[in-house]
Amino acid sequence: MSSPEAGPGPVTGPTAEPTAGPAETLPAVAPQLRALRRRAALTLEAAARAAGLSPAHLSRLETGQRQPSLPMLLALARIYGTTVSELLGETVADRDAVVRAGDMEPTAAGGWTYWQAGSPGRGMQALRVHVPYGSQGDIVRVHPGEEWLYVLTGRLRLRLGDATHLLGPGDSAHFDSLTPHRIAAQDPDGVELLFVHTLLQSPTATLCLGPTTGETP
């Protein structure tokens, strides 16, 4: 639970840019923004400061006089400890807490194979992933959120910024996804991981299993 005195650090970048437009295109946002800020026990001033906004601008968002951009929604969702879906007032059907092994259907993407290991639509997405040798090792990923991974079998070569780490079975890593990162199998047999990430939760969100920067350096 956040408090007005101990909120997240300021968010810089596109969240600070004002956006114009009628709020009726996102009708549920204004009341949800205020309700979720109060649920997080944040004052208007504290929430605005954490999001890199002025209190006046956040007030206009909460009263429907301004329409928030998606980066703003993402920042506010992280500050309030929720998802963009909840900010938008979307309701999600009841989800089972248990995922049976037999219900995990493999899906291929960019040479990787992954299995959903958790319920869709949550703030965290859990996957079991097989990364073949030589697949996507040159792709640099940069995106909002956090990632946690745990090596089950094989060896993983993980590059975070300018540092390269070699992880074996039982090793794990937890990092901010805005840090440029690369994931590759070290050995010909590939590597299998448990993988948890937080990404923008919306109908258009996709799993970070392919290029997100558009090009590689």
Side-chain angles (χ1 to χ4, degrees):
M1 177 70 72
S2 302
S3 65
E5 294 76 22
V11 178
T12 59
T15 57
E17 298 177 2
T19 58
E24 46 267 31
T25 56
L26 294 174
V29 173
Q32 284 292 101
L33 286 177
R34 177 171 292 177
L36 291 171
R37 173 176 61 79
R38 290 175 174 172
R39 188 181 74 180
L42 286 167
T43 65
L44 184 71
E45 292 75 13
R49 182 171 61 251
L53 302 171
S54 68
H57 189 75
L58 181 56
S59 177
R60 287 192 288 270
L61 295 177
E62 290 187 351
T63 55
Q65 299 174 46
R66 288 278 186 173
Q67 176 179 315
S69 65
L70 285 177
M72 277 186 192
L73 289 174
L74 178 59
L76 290 170
R78 295 180 68 183
I79 292 164
Y80 298 161
T82 185
T83 66
V84 171
S85 293
E86 188 173 9
L87 286 181
L88 294 174
E90 296 176 0
T91 57
V92 180
D94 291 341
R95 293 160 293 201
D96 291 334
V98 175
V99 180
R100 301 294 181 184
D103 295 332
M104 296 183 189
E105 294 291 336
T107 302
W112 294 12
T113 302
Y114 66 91
W115 296 259
Q116 285 279 0
S119 299
R122 299 216 182 249
M124 297 187 302
Q125 290 291 290
L127 306 167
R128 181 164 59 90
V129 183
H130 177 74
V131 181
Y133 182 73
S135 174
Q136 298 192 30
D138 59 346
I139 293 175
V140 178
R141 297 170 172 82
V142 180
H143 54 89
E146 295 181 42
E147 295 184 31
W148 175 87
L149 55 85
Y150 178 93
V151 180
L152 294 170
T153 61
R155 293 190 300 168
L156 175 74
R157 187 171 69 254
L158 172 66
R159 186 171 181 86
L160 292 174
D162 295 329
T164 299
H165 309 272
L166 187 61
L167 283 66
D171 292 338
S172 62
H174 188 175
F175 53 91
D176 191 316
S177 305
L178 287 175
T179 302
H181 51 286
R182 300 182 184 185
I183 296 174
Q186 177 70 13
D187 303 314
D189 290 338
V191 61
E192 189 158 327
L193 314 169
L194 288 178
F195 182 77
V196 177
H197 68 79
T198 60
L199 288 178
L200 179 65
Q201 297 300 305
S202 75
T204 58
T206 56
L207 297 174
C208 182
L209 294 177
T212 59
T213 57
E215 61 182 31
T216 57

